[in-house]
Amino acid sequence: MGIYIATWNMQGEKGLPVNLDDLLLPTDSEFAQDFYVIGVQEGCPDRKEWETRLQETLGPYYVMLYAASHGVLYLSVFVRRDLIWFCSEVEHATVTTRIISQIKTKGAVGVGFTFFGTSFLFITSHFTSGDSKVYERILDYNKIIEALALPKGLPDTNPYRSTPSDVTTRFDHVFWFGDFNFRLSKNRVEVENIINRIAGKDMGSLLEYDQLSKELKDGSIFKGFQEAPIHFLPTYKFDIGCDIYDTSSKQRTPSYTDRILFRSRQAHDIQVIKYTSCTNIKTSDHRPVVGVFQAKLRPGRDTIPLGAGLFDRSLYLEGIRRRMTRELQRREAMNNQSSSSICTIA
């Protein structure tokens, strides 16, 4: 199956991009995927509007299988409409990593389900910010894997490979994405010099200073996970509406805060097709990051409770209504442009 994942820190902006095609349907995509999973941190105030815009963009052949939130963390799962009958019931859980649990800006939301006979877990999260807060971010990760209570009622497809202290071992395929807030351990001037020197080509000289890459290598975080090679520039922190890194008084160092990682119980069951940033969406100080993957499936089982084709029908109808209205307006505008301006005399 094909899986398209997008993660984006929206910076709480009320104004959504005029067009989400660049986020979900980039022009370099050869074909559409089976699942679209979108994780948002610091989401816009109107979550329903955001989900409606996603449905409008994806069109009538996709339905929203499930959506969950934890404060301003949003996670939406869309599936090809003809595949919904092979999805199990869907479960979700949340974890806050703030000391005060009522403040829901940092933490995680996870969604789990089984498709045919293969179980999936999607997690989006927002870790502690701050250049030097590496240890605190590792604590966030440890709290999430221990406290994210999934699966609840769904059967574990391979209980012999599960551990009670790590939710990511209890699913066949796991995708974890979000604003992990790991920074480049180098000062701003030196990082910008490297960026100018590499001219968007080999990111290795930047990633030498990437905190997450170091912790992954040391085995202190995301145990068993992989990340595709990075061939895009740092996705944080930009001035709004342009491609210039932070010019405020804080002069934050450009960093790879936004990432997508994955793990599978079976080696080589997940293949990376694409891993890049979305440079055309500039309404936030973060650039979205997208990944396209292919995951192997196993046959279905009689013990898995199916979801009976349930999805958010009201959202679907509103999204398609808007899409049709937009298309009609576009055609009318084209007709007006091509119509003759010559008057006739009776």
Side-chain angles (χ1 to χ4, degrees):
M1 62 177 282
I3 304 171
Y4 189 104
I5 290 177
T7 178
W8 185 26
N9 184 321
M10 298 176 71
Q11 203 189 5
E13 286 295 314
K14 293 181 181 178
L16 295 173
V18 174
N19 194 325
L20 292 179
D21 286 357
D22 290 329
L23 178 66
L24 299 175
L25 304 169
T27 54
D28 62 349
S29 294
E30 292 184 28
F31 48 83
Q33 304 303 316
D34 301 310
F35 280 82
Y36 284 79
V37 185
I38 304 98
V40 164
Q41 309 81 45
E42 296 184 31
C44 61
D46 191 343
R47 176 184 154 206
K48 196 72 175 177
E49 175 63 20
W50 167 244
E51 292 166 357
T52 304
R53 289 289 305 280
L54 294 175
Q55 178 69 75
E56 177 189 351
T57 303
L58 288 172
Y61 296 107
Y62 291 88
V63 295
M64 192 169 78
L65 176 67
Y66 202 81
S69 67
H70 178 65
V72 289
L73 281 169
Y74 306 156
L75 184 56
S76 310
V77 180
F78 287 81
V79 60
R80 230 176 64 200
R81 197 171 64 181
D82 57 323
L83 296 177
I84 195 169
W85 304 103
F86 308 104
C87 296
S88 73
E89 296 174 350
V90 186
E91 300 175 335
H92 88 275
T94 63
V95 175
T96 186
T97 53
R98 289 284 198 186
I99 296 173
I100 303 172
S101 60
Q102 285 78 16
I103 302 174
K104 298 178 180 179
T105 56
K106 299 291 192 294
V109 54
V111 167
F113 60 91
T114 300
F115 184 59
F116 287 97
T118 302
S119 59
F120 287 84
L121 174 63
F122 297 95
I123 306 173
T124 191
S125 59
H126 195 181
F127 290 175
T128 300
S129 60
D131 289 359
S132 61
K133 299 288 183 70
V134 176
Y135 178 69
E136 287 80 358
R137 291 191 268 277
I138 294 173
L139 289 180
D140 291 345
Y141 160 81
N142 286 324
K143 182 174 182 179
I144 291 165
I145 63 171
E146 292 174 10
L148 198 66
L150 289 170
K152 296 174 181 177
L154 291 174
D156 190 333
T157 54
N158 194 341
Y160 301 106
R161 303 189 68 172
S162 300
T163 59
S165 60
D166 185 349
V167 66
T168 66
T169 65
R170 300 197 286 270
F171 291 82
D172 295 319
H173 298 323
V174 182
F175 294 88
W176 195 334
F177 43 97
D179 180 359
F180 300 144
N181 255 319
F182 285 97
R183 310 300 173 92
L184 293 179
S185 298
K186 203 76 171 166
N187 69 53
R188 167 74 180 256
V189 173
E190 290 178 289
V191 167
E192 288 199 320
N193 286 339
I194 296 172
I195 290 173
N196 293 332
R197 188 170 70 246
I198 62 178
K201 294 176 182 175
D202 180 15
M203 303 298 160
S205 50
L206 272 179
L207 292 167
E208 286 179 28
Y209 308 102
D210 177 55
Q211 294 172 348
L212 180 55
S213 298
K214 178 183 180 301
E215 299 304 324
L216 283 169
K217 194 177 295 182
D218 294 344
S220 58
I221 195 170
F222 290 114
K223 298 173 181 66
F225 279 83
Q226 302 175 61
E227 183 180 24
I230 292 176
H231 298 296
F232 51 89
L233 290 169
T235 55
Y236 171 87
K237 172 182 171 58
F238 288 92
D239 289 346
I240 303 298
C242 65
D243 294 318
I244 299 171
Y245 287 107
D246 185 21
T247 59
S248 72
S249 57
K250 293 185 177 180
Q251 290 279 303
R252 290 182 181 86
T253 300
S255 295
Y256 291 101
T257 55
D258 311 280
R259 315 284 273 269
I260 303 173
L261 285 83
F262 60 93
R263 67 170 288 173
S264 178
R265 279 174 168 167
Q266 302 292 331
H268 313 300
D269 268 11
I270 296 175
Q271 287 188 318
V272 181
I273 307 301
K274 181 168 72 171
Y275 188 39
T276 188
S277 65
C278 183
T279 57
N280 292 331
I281 292 184
K282 305 174 184 181
T283 56
S284 165
D285 57 355
H286 290 252
R287 294 289 182 266
V289 170
V290 299
V292 180
F293 305 87
Q294 285 187 345
K296 285 188 179 179
L297 297 176
R298 284 169 177 75
R301 303 182 183 196
D302 293 339
T303 56
I304 295 169
L306 294 176
L310 294 176
F311 64 92
D312 192 326
R313 295 176 189 277
S314 62
L315 182 92
Y316 177 83
L317 292 172
E318 175 60 20
I320 302 312
R321 185 193 66 78
R322 290 191 189 183
R323 187 181 178 90
M324 290 174 64
T325 302
R326 186 179 66 177
E327 178 63 18
L328 289 171
Q329 290 172 345
R330 186 185 70 83
R331 291 185 182 182
E332 185 179 345
M334 289 179 64
N335 289 336
N336 290 340
Q337 286 178 2
S338 60
S339 61
S340 172
S341 59
I342 299 174
C343 298
T344 59
I345 301 173

